Amino acid sequence: MFVGYMSLFNKFVQNQLRILHLLCKLLVVGGGSGGCTVAAKFARRLNKDSVIILEPSNDHYYQPLFTLVGAGVKRVSDTRRSAQSVLPKAAKWLRDSAETINAKANVVTTKDGHVINYEYIVIAVGLKSDYNKIPGLTEALNDTSSGVSTIYAPEYCEKTWSDLQMFKGGEAIFTYPETLIKCPGAPQKIAYLAESYFTKTNVRSKSNITYNTCLPVIFGVKKYADALLKVVERKKINVNYKTVLKEVKPDRREAVFYNTDDKTKETTMQYNMLHVTPPMKTPDFLQRSSDIVDPNGYLTVNKYTLQHDKYPNVYGIGDCTNTPNSKTAAAIAKQCYVLEHNLLGTMQKDEPKLKYDGYGACPLLTAYGKCILAEFIYDGIPHETLPFDQARESALAYYMKKDLFPFLYWNLMLKGRYHGPEFVRKIINPLAK
């Protein structure tokens, strides 16, 4: 028995020796688009290793390209680079994730048990898919012959392309969940590209395409919604508003939906292909951190300054915050500039002065080679860069989405050197509002 106790004691001591106790000026939680960008900015401004990045993944994905992966234009490998290659070298990368945060004590504990004391913190952990919220969905996604896919994950978006190729007619259904999601235009983009592919492969005449969305409108900005309704009419896509996926029955190829006005009102639809945009939520550690989040688990920050509403040394960026903007990479590009200067002010005991205007952009792919480039700020006000009506479908916008934006992302934004197109806008479209 004594030997057994000694063995347990030795294991405890070894585990304690492996636990790190770290100090830093700035802790960035999350190494995705927002975290990497912010870390790059402050790694240049602060002393070496003054910035710690807490990020568990070895891979970094440019997620806006997942739609084109699902449509067969790109491959998953085109969207991926190693985290080590994009995270700033002057920052310390701890390959781990947050388990708890004590904002009063300025302490984060990690999943592996490490303890990080910080002076300032930027939370940039994004959103994660909540597949379990829909019974039958995970099973269907993992079955290669189910006809069920999603472009919202690198492990599944190539399955969407496979399903498009295998589709020979019948019912094709595309969904939008009753939660906040990343890139809210993507659920309909893949529907438009699917319709184009079915036309190209001569199965469109044998197909019925349905887009079921929880929203009461097709898009949140009226100018672009009006243009998209024309696209839907031209492509003969059925749109059901306030209609949410509740359950997938892969053995029967059935999808059960409810109506948001009356959740007891359910409809069962047969499918040959089902593209699901899964419900999403913030990571579990935020969900548990009631001191710093709203009832839905989103970090509560001032929507203009991005500073936490209770703890001035806490800032947030990207999808995990409660700012009422579209959750897109374009929003992060604009937010990172505001956050940089406001956090620097906080470090110098000054009040945050810059304001984020809610800028977001959504390149709405309507066909292979065509795109509506939606740009807008808070309250759904269009805020366009190019000197023509961006609600018109254009080839230029398509190739910007396909080629230019990924180049800007990898070569400028993640290095903290791109803050959105405002400087371009002032040059080529100076009279725009």
Side-chain angles (χ1 to χ4, degrees):
M1 183 179 291
F2 176 75
V3 173
Y5 282 131
M6 285 303 296
S7 177
L8 290 173
F9 178 74
N10 287 334
K11 286 182 181 178
F12 172 78
V13 171
Q14 289 169 8
N15 287 334
Q16 291 302 304
L17 290 174
R18 281 196 293 266
I19 291 174
L20 300 175
H21 292 264
L22 302 170
L23 299 170
C24 64
K25 180 82 169 180
L26 174 64
L27 174 60
V28 179
V29 185
S33 301
C36 186
T37 301
V38 169
K41 288 177 168 296
F42 282 90
R44 283 196 297 271
R45 290 181 175 275
L46 304 177
N47 295 331
K48 191 175 188 303
D49 291 338
S50 294
V51 178
I52 292 178
I53 306 164
L54 192 58
E55 169 55 48
S57 178
N58 276 326
D59 295 316
H60 185 109
Y61 292 94
Y62 178 59
Q63 296 180 50
L65 272 187
F66 285 174
T67 307
L68 288 173
V69 173
V73 178
K74 296 284 187 177
R75 299 165 300 174
V76 170
S77 58
D78 297 323
T79 73
R80 180 177 56 229
R81 293 191 183 178
S82 70
Q84 186 175 17
S85 70
V86 298
L87 294 174
K89 300 296 185 290
K92 180 180 178 62
W93 173 28
L94 184 60
R95 189 170 176 262
D96 199 352
S97 56
E99 183 68 16
T100 65
I101 175 170
N102 184 338
K104 289 181 181 178
N106 298 341
V107 175
V108 166
T109 57
T110 76
K111 204 166 192 177
D112 289 342
H114 305 308
V115 179
I116 307 172
N117 290 84
Y118 62 84
E119 290 184 50
Y120 303 91
I121 187 171
V122 174
I123 298 177
V125 291
L127 295 175
K128 68 174 191 175
S129 294
D130 189 8
Y131 299 114
N132 292 333
K133 194 170 184 179
I134 300 177
L137 178 56
T138 300
E139 174 192 346
L141 287 172
N142 290 328
D143 180 352
T144 56
S145 62
S146 69
V148 179
S149 67
T150 181
I151 56 169
Y152 274 91
E155 62 268 33
Y156 296 128
C157 56
E158 284 185 334
K159 188 171 189 273
T160 303
W161 173 230
S162 176
D163 286 352
L164 287 180
Q165 291 174 291
M166 290 191 294
F167 185 81
K168 303 305 177 187
E171 300 291 332
I173 303 173
F174 299 81
T175 74
Y176 189 118
E178 197 178 15
T179 66
L180 291 176
I181 63 170
K182 314 173 194 181
C183 191
Q188 60 186 288
K189 296 179 199 178
I190 191 61
Y192 301 145
L193 291 169
E195 191 278 338
S196 295
Y197 184 75
F198 297 159
T199 300
K200 179 182 176 182
T201 54
N202 298 315
V203 299
R204 181 64 182 97
S205 61
K206 299 181 288 184
S207 308
N208 189 41
I209 302 175
T210 301
Y211 177 54
N212 289 344
T213 172
C214 76
L215 302 173
V217 293
I218 197 159
F219 195 73
V221 180
K222 187 179 184 305
K223 174 177 181 175
Y224 306 113
D226 291 344
L228 290 168
L229 287 174
K230 293 177 183 177
V231 172
V232 165
E233 183 179 6
R234 184 181 78 233
K235 289 177 172 286
K236 295 182 171 58
I237 295 174
N238 306 310
V239 180
N240 295 316
Y241 299 106
K242 301 183 180 181
T243 303
V244 180
L245 181 63
K246 178 181 179 181
E247 182 179 359
V248 179
K249 298 179 179 179
D251 55 330
R252 302 180 190 176
R253 292 212 166 204
E254 291 179 348
V256 181
F257 295 86
Y258 66 81
N259 184 278
T260 58
D261 287 337
D262 181 2
K263 293 187 178 182
T264 64
K265 184 180 177 183
E266 295 183 359
T267 304
T268 299
M269 302 177 69
Q270 293 285 143
Y271 65 82
N272 298 92
M273 175 184 171
L274 175 65
H275 177 272
V276 178
T277 300
M280 298 181 194
K281 63 179 183 179
T282 55
D284 293 343
F285 92 93
L286 266 190
Q287 296 281 329
R288 295 190 298 265
S289 304
S290 59
D291 192 36
I292 59 172
V293 299
D294 68 14
N296 294 314
Y298 287 82
L299 186 72
T300 53
V301 299
N302 181 285
K303 73 175 188 178
Y304 298 114
T305 67
L306 307 179
Q307 184 181 48
H308 193 267
D309 58 8
K310 184 175 179 181
Y311 298 101
N313 64 331
V314 176
Y315 278 78
I317 189 170
D319 302 349
C320 69
T321 71
N322 69 337
T323 54
N325 62 285
S326 185
K327 308 298 186 183
T328 65
I332 291 172
K334 187 70 176 284
Q335 288 176 348
C336 71
Y337 181 79
V338 173
L339 188 152
E340 175 190 17
H341 288 273
N342 285 344
L343 179 52
L344 282 171
T346 300
M347 289 178 174
Q348 296 162 4
K349 311 304 178 189
D350 199 0
E351 292 296 316
K353 292 183 172 60
L354 293 193
K355 291 186 177 182
Y356 169 58
D357 59 6
Y359 175 80
C362 186
L364 293 152
L365 301 166
T366 55
Y368 292 93
K370 290 184 179 180
C371 179
I372 290 172
L373 183 52
E375 289 184 286
F376 42 89
I377 55 176
Y378 281 140
D379 300 320
I381 300 170
H383 191 70
E384 297 182 347
T385 299
L386 302 174
F388 58 79
D389 182 4
Q390 291 178 204
R392 296 201 317 262
E393 296 170 89
S394 77
L396 175 61
Y398 176 84
Y399 288 102
M400 290 172 69
K401 160 74 174 177
K402 175 176 170 288
D403 300 313
L404 175 61
F405 296 159
F407 175 85
L408 292 174
Y409 183 81
W410 294 120
N411 295 283
L412 292 176
M413 181 171 158
L414 291 186
K415 294 177 170 61
R417 300 189 185 280
Y418 178 71
H419 310 124
E422 198 65 30
F423 72 101
V424 177
R425 185 174 175 271
K426 289 178 179 178
I427 296 170
I428 68 174
N429 199 9
L431 300 180
K433 293 182 180 179

